[in-house]
Amino acid sequence: MRVLPLLLPLLIIPVILAVSITDLPELVVVTVATENTDGLKRLLESAKAFDINIEVLGLGEKWNGGDTRVEKGGGQKIRILSKWIEKYKDASDTIIMFVDAYDVVFNADSKNILQKFLEHYPGKQLLFGAEPFCWPDQTLAPDYPIVEFGKRFLNSGLFMGYGPQVHKILTLKSVEDKDDDQLYYTMIYLDEKLRKELNMDLDSMSKIFQNLNGVIEDVELQFKEDGTPEAYNAAYNTKPLIVHGNGPSKSHLNYLGNYLGNRWNSQLGCRTCDQEGAKEQTEFPLIGLNLFISKPVPFIEEVLQKVSEFDYPKNRIALYIYNNQPFSIKNIQDFLKDHGKSYYTKRIINGVTEIGERQARNEAIDWCKQRDTEFAFFMDGDAYFTEPTVIKDLIHYSKSYDVGIISPMVGQPGKLFTNFWGAIAANGYYARSEDYMAIVKGNRVGYWNVPFVTSALLMSKEKLGAMSGAYTYNKNLDPDMSLCQFARDNGHFMYINNEKYFGYLIVSDEFSETVTEGKWHPEMWQIFENRELWEARYIHPGYHKIMEPDHIIDQACPDVYDYPLMSERFCEELIEEMEGFGRWSDGSNNDKRLAGGYENVPTRDIHMNQVGFERQWLYFLDTYVRPVQEKTFIGYYHQPVESNMMFVVRYKPEEQASLRPHHDASTFSIDIALNKKGRDYEGGGVRYVRYNCTVEADEVGYAMMFPGRLTHLHEGLATTKGTRYIMVSFINP
């Protein structure tokens, strides 16, 4: 019977505590910001998400407090706050919270913040965030009180307390603008008498305030069951409500800030995205379109074609093109011939190497500023946009989300390489963020604050005004890295957007080698690296029709299937490559190119391996010919990788006009007509002896596919005028 009275107080205490914090004091949040930066916008947005109003002091005032990222300073904040706090000097029922303006994110409402303060720090009247570094004077570290758990040193970026205590600490001593604010608070905290008088403490275990510098690995992103994001401090098993990216931890705050502040929910997705999307425009502001071709890139012709198809009036585009690649000079000339007169104005640097890439990129920024463009879109030659509304979309996102630098996500097809980094390493180069894969694969969709973007980005007029010289900011880095470092160091946020599929990046890593090898048409060798573009340029437009399940492929003769395979452009370029190479065989039986050194039925030809095209052609046969073979020669399944006779034949009356009846040394063969009868030559054709069936074989890019060894004895009929070219492949000999 004596147990019950002993237990009752234990049961009642939690109830008493809960009741005691229901009548919560008022919370007033204040910050000091002399500029309306991206960081301040984010702070205010995160607070607004939880119905917290932040009073911003100092806007428009000149900052005299030094560069607090790398040196002592910040006293100006205390001076500004000390004037403002006068109205709260007797407000014992009001809690004042100060947060740094440019690198803080809220993730809770006033009620939760106050409840945690009262629950975890009962009786305390002034609370500062804590960190692992004794800044700005390390010699003061021994003077700090020992803490049982958590971080020991004061950080001045986040603090809260009752009005009279905050008033007292802000007005205790006079402060110069260039004095260090953190040192000011530190000296008060280290004074034991003042610490006790102010009833001052540190949030050492980050129950409310999380300072990230030095503890990035401890702080991770988690989601509640309903998808709500929260910061989790694994070292102390706490869930801080306000996160501060002090010192060099700002990139990690940017990552967390993509989710906290009710920005992104694992169940509901992006909470701040414009679900309706861009509306039809009736007015089109003048924009800058800046294209840079500063390295060898294949398929520039196709890139320019897509640029010409952008869904934005050309007469509202100021066009700037910089090309220092000789290979692309004609592409630019052809583009300007077709479209140049349509643009509002233009500046073209084509093939000139006296102007370096950095200089040209900086010039483009200034050029757009001088023309008073509302936006400027910067794109590199490797950005291939299949979405013609890309510029309109980015302008819409920039306005809707109030972001000044935004980039459309594009990546190399089938790879994880994209035009952004999710994180950045200590050496300033790439590091993979926790969410990089999810963003690239589209499992997380929205717009993301990232430390590096390249290949394509849109800048608002405001950002153009701030970015002069950004490409030469750090000449030890590539120009795009220099720009991004400038943006990071100066508080300009860069966003990647994956709300739509905008296009992809052209692979160009090894293209320079192909160009320097003296190929006439180096894109022909790009079937592995850029298959989609290669196919669009070089596969016959009728090929995919014949692969439809119900389509019956024509037979020109029994078991001689005649179908569209290669584009006329491929055929023309293959001829030019072979003639450019020029080492045609002499048409005799002796052939050192063959393993036995003897050719039974010789032709004037050049083998694919002679021009370095064997690997590409084998892949082509396996990818595009094999499916047709399996559709027609039912039951035969074999990869064409065993083909060792692939060559272009040249027929000329004065050289070799015809070929005697013969069987091919193959299981099946394909002969592709490379040029046109009546235009390029007279005569020609193929006669299948057993069937007494003749095929003109003059549809450019069409392939004749037929059995080789046994049933289809055939002869090449005489070319009587001009030059006839065919591409021959013996498959599975």
Side-chain angles (χ1 to χ4, degrees):
M1 295 299 294
R2 293 179 181 178
V3 176
L4 184 57
L6 290 173
L7 289 176
L8 280 174
L10 297 176
L11 295 170
I12 292 171
I13 286 174
V15 177
I16 292 173
L17 286 175
V19 172
S20 67
I21 62 173
T22 54
D23 188 16
L24 296 173
E26 180 185 4
L27 178 67
V28 175
V29 184
V30 64
T31 191
V32 174
T34 56
E35 297 179 62
N36 186 22
T37 67
D38 291 341
L40 178 61
K41 292 176 183 178
R42 177 180 60 190
L43 170 68
L44 298 178
E45 287 171 2
S46 69
K48 183 180 179 182
F50 297 100
D51 294 321
I52 295 174
N53 179 61
I54 299 182
E55 191 164 348
V56 182
L57 309 178
L59 279 176
E61 185 173 319
K62 182 181 178 182
W63 176 252
N64 300 311
D67 188 350
T68 56
R69 298 170 303 171
V70 295
E71 61 185 4
K72 297 180 183 180
Q76 187 173 352
K77 289 188 283 187
I78 297 176
R79 179 180 61 77
I80 293 172
L81 285 167
S82 65
K83 296 178 181 178
W84 172 84
I85 197 64
E86 281 298 316
K87 57 186 175 182
Y88 293 103
K89 65 180 180 180
D90 299 320
S92 57
D93 59 346
T94 299
I95 290 181
I96 307 297
M97 175 183 287
F98 170 79
V99 297
D100 270 350
Y102 305 138
D103 49 15
V104 170
V105 172
F106 275 80
N107 200 47
D109 58 22
S110 299
K111 179 180 178 182
N112 280 315
I113 293 169
L114 291 169
Q115 283 181 337
K116 269 202 173 183
F117 176 65
L118 297 173
E119 286 177 1
H120 294 289
Y121 298 98
K124 295 297 179 182
Q125 294 179 312
L126 196 56
L127 182 71
F128 276 76
E131 65 167 300
F133 303 113
C134 184
W135 171 268
D137 187 348
Q138 295 183 12
T139 65
L140 296 175
D143 299 335
Y144 267 85
I146 300 298
V147 297
E148 187 174 354
F149 297 106
K151 304 308 176 196
R152 182 181 172 194
F153 305 111
L154 177 146
N155 180 278
S156 62
L158 301 170
F159 65 84
M160 64 190 299
Y162 290 91
Q165 284 70 33
V166 175
H167 176 269
K168 183 166 186 177
I169 199 171
L170 288 171
T171 58
L172 199 59
K173 303 174 184 177
S174 62
V175 181
E176 299 295 328
D177 285 354
K178 290 188 179 297
D179 289 343
D180 190 83
D181 61 333
Q182 187 148 306
L183 183 61
Y184 172 89
Y185 296 121
T186 295
M187 298 310 294
I188 296 173
Y189 178 74
L190 294 181
D191 186 317
E192 186 175 0
K193 181 181 177 182
L194 286 173
R195 185 168 70 247
K196 290 182 178 179
E197 184 181 328
L198 292 167
N199 206 352
M200 187 177 180
D201 203 355
L202 301 184
D203 186 15
S204 296
M205 295 175 63
S206 300
K207 295 174 181 177
I208 300 173
F209 300 135
Q210 179 65 67
N211 294 295
L212 290 173
N213 190 25
V215 297
I216 287 175
E217 294 183 357
D218 295 340
V219 183
E220 59 189 57
L221 181 71
Q222 290 190 347
F223 295 96
K224 298 179 183 179
E225 287 188 7
D226 66 355
T228 302
E230 53 188 4
Y232 174 67
N233 187 316
Y236 306 122
N237 192 31
T238 56
K239 296 178 179 179
L241 307 179
I242 306 159
V243 184
H244 178 209
N246 55 317
S249 67
K250 290 175 174 50
S251 287
H252 194 61
L253 176 69
N254 291 345
Y255 155 70
L256 293 172
N258 285 325
Y259 300 91
L260 305 180
N262 199 29
R263 276 255 356 245
W264 200 88
N265 183 291
S266 63
Q267 300 294 325
L268 303 174
C270 179
R271 307 302 294 143
T272 55
C273 290
D274 183 358
Q275 303 298 330
E276 294 183 3
K279 296 178 176 60
E280 196 63 36
Q281 289 180 248
T282 56
E283 295 183 2
F284 296 90
L286 182 66
I287 66 166
L289 173 56
N290 308 275
L291 173 63
F292 298 90
I293 305 168
S294 54
K295 63 179 180 180
V297 177
F299 301 104
I300 287 295
E301 178 184 329
E302 282 79 357
V303 170
L304 291 168
Q305 179 61 35
K306 290 300 181 183
V307 168
S308 74
E309 296 171 1
F310 282 167
D311 185 14
Y312 202 92
K314 290 182 175 63
N315 62 359
R316 302 302 296 157
I317 295 177
L319 178 67
Y320 185 104
I321 296 179
Y322 173 78
N323 169 48
N324 63 8
Q325 299 299 309
F327 177 74
S328 301
I329 290 175
K330 187 176 185 303
N331 295 138
I332 302 296
Q333 292 173 337
D334 291 344
F335 170 79
L336 293 173
K337 180 181 177 181
D338 293 338
H339 306 287
K341 293 181 180 179
S342 302
Y343 289 94
Y344 173 79
T345 186
K346 58 184 179 293
R347 161 93 165 117
I348 310 299
I349 304 171
N350 190 17
V352 177
T353 56
E354 287 77 11
I355 299 177
E357 178 188 355
R358 289 181 194 275
Q359 179 184 349
R361 289 182 183 272
N362 280 335
E363 181 186 275
I365 290 177
D366 294 335
W367 191 77
C368 289
K369 286 164 55 179
Q370 291 164 7
R371 277 139 194 84
D372 199 29
T373 62
E374 291 297 315
F375 293 91
F377 185 54
F378 298 82
M379 62 174 286
D380 291 351
D382 61 351
Y384 181 79
F385 291 107
T386 58
E387 176 53 75
T389 63
V390 57
I391 292 178
K392 289 168 66 173
D393 290 334
L394 293 177
I395 290 174
H396 169 73
Y397 295 143
S398 178
K399 291 180 176 179
S400 181
Y401 306 150
D402 194 18
V403 297
I405 303 176
I406 189 164
S407 181
M409 192 189 81
V410 284
Q412 292 181 356
K415 300 178 182 178
L416 298 175
F417 183 88
T418 66
N419 65 322
F420 80 98
W421 297 348
I424 195 164
N427 63 2
Y429 285 83
Y430 172 83
R432 178 171 290 183
S433 63
E434 172 275 332
D435 57 358
Y436 179 81
M437 298 282 286
I439 294 172
V440 172
K441 293 182 177 180
N443 297 327
R444 297 183 186 181
V445 174
Y447 61 108
W448 313 91
N449 187 342
V450 295
F452 175 81
V453 294
T454 188
S455 295
L457 60 92
L458 182 87
M459 283 189 199
S460 67
K461 186 176 185 178
E462 175 192 9
K463 294 303 180 185
L464 279 171
M467 288 290 168
S468 289
Y471 287 105
T472 49
Y473 179 67
N474 187 342
K475 293 183 180 180
N476 294 320
L477 299 175
D478 291 340
D480 55 353
M481 293 181 66
S482 173
L483 172 84
C484 293
Q485 184 184 10
F486 179 90
R488 294 194 304 270
D489 289 351
N490 290 278
H492 301 291
F493 292 168
M494 298 168 286
Y495 292 87
I496 195 80
N497 186 287
N498 68 336
E499 292 182 71
K500 294 180 73 171
Y501 177 79
F502 297 99
Y504 53 88
L505 290 176
I506 296 173
V507 181
S508 60
D509 298 342
E510 300 177 4
F511 186 63
S512 60
E513 298 176 11
T514 311
V515 172
T516 56
E517 287 172 359
K519 308 295 186 187
W520 289 62
H521 303 286
E523 280 100 344
M524 288 178 61
W525 277 258
Q526 288 288 305
I527 188 171
F528 299 115
E529 294 82 0
N530 294 288
R531 179 177 162 183
E532 187 170 332
L533 284 166
W534 192 95
E535 180 176 303
R537 179 184 284 194
Y538 293 130
I539 295 296
H540 196 288
Y543 171 80
H544 295 288
K545 177 71 175 177
I546 69 167
M547 291 310 301
E548 294 176 1
D550 296 333
H551 185 86
I552 299 175
I553 300 175
D554 293 335
Q555 293 185 59
C557 297
D559 283 333
V560 177
Y561 294 92
D562 192 32
Y563 59 89
L565 183 59
M566 308 308 303
S567 69
E568 289 199 26
R569 179 164 183 172
F570 178 87
C571 298
E572 180 182 343
E573 291 185 3
L574 182 59
I575 291 172
E576 291 179 0
E577 286 292 338
M578 293 303 180
E579 290 292 0
F581 181 73
R583 300 177 208 169
W584 297 93
S585 63
D586 61 9
S588 68
N589 295 108
N590 297 316
D591 194 337
K592 295 180 180 179
R593 299 170 301 175
L594 304 180
Y598 183 84
E599 170 60 67
N600 187 41
V601 187
T603 53
R604 297 272 187 165
D605 56 50
I606 296 174
H607 288 198
M608 288 298 202
N609 60 11
Q610 290 180 263
V611 296
F613 202 67
E614 181 179 31
R615 189 169 65 97
Q616 288 80 1
W617 192 249
L618 283 171
Y619 178 77
F620 164 80
L621 293 174
D622 192 43
T623 305
Y624 298 98
V625 173
R626 182 184 178 188
V628 186
Q629 165 250 299
E630 292 178 353
K631 183 176 182 178
T632 53
F633 299 127
I634 299 171
Y636 180 72
Y637 302 97
H638 211 296
Q639 284 187 285
V641 292
E642 298 178 22
S643 175
N644 60 10
M645 290 289 286
M646 304 173 292
F647 50 93
V648 172
V649 177
R650 182 174 73 180
Y651 291 112
K652 299 173 72 171
E654 66 274 21
E655 191 175 76
Q656 180 181 6
S658 62
L659 192 62
R660 65 179 175 82
H662 63 283
H663 283 291
D664 288 344
S666 67
T667 302
F668 72 95
S669 302
I670 59 167
D671 291 358
I672 303 172
L674 299 181
N675 58 345
K676 184 70 176 173
K677 183 176 181 177
R679 181 189 67 189
D680 305 312
Y681 65 89
E682 298 293 341
V686 180
R687 176 175 174 267
Y688 293 90
V689 178
R690 181 177 181 182
Y691 307 103
N692 192 25
C693 180
T694 298
V695 182
E696 293 290 338
D698 69 338
E699 286 292 329
V700 179
Y702 271 60
M704 283 193 305
M705 186 170 69
F706 54 91
R709 290 183 181 276
L710 187 62
T711 58
H712 282 63
L713 184 75
H714 60 285
E715 63 179 322
L717 301 178
T719 298
T720 58
K721 184 179 179 181
T723 305
R724 178 183 179 224
Y725 298 91
I726 62 171
M727 168 67 206
V728 178
S729 297
F730 295 168
I731 301 173
N732 299 330

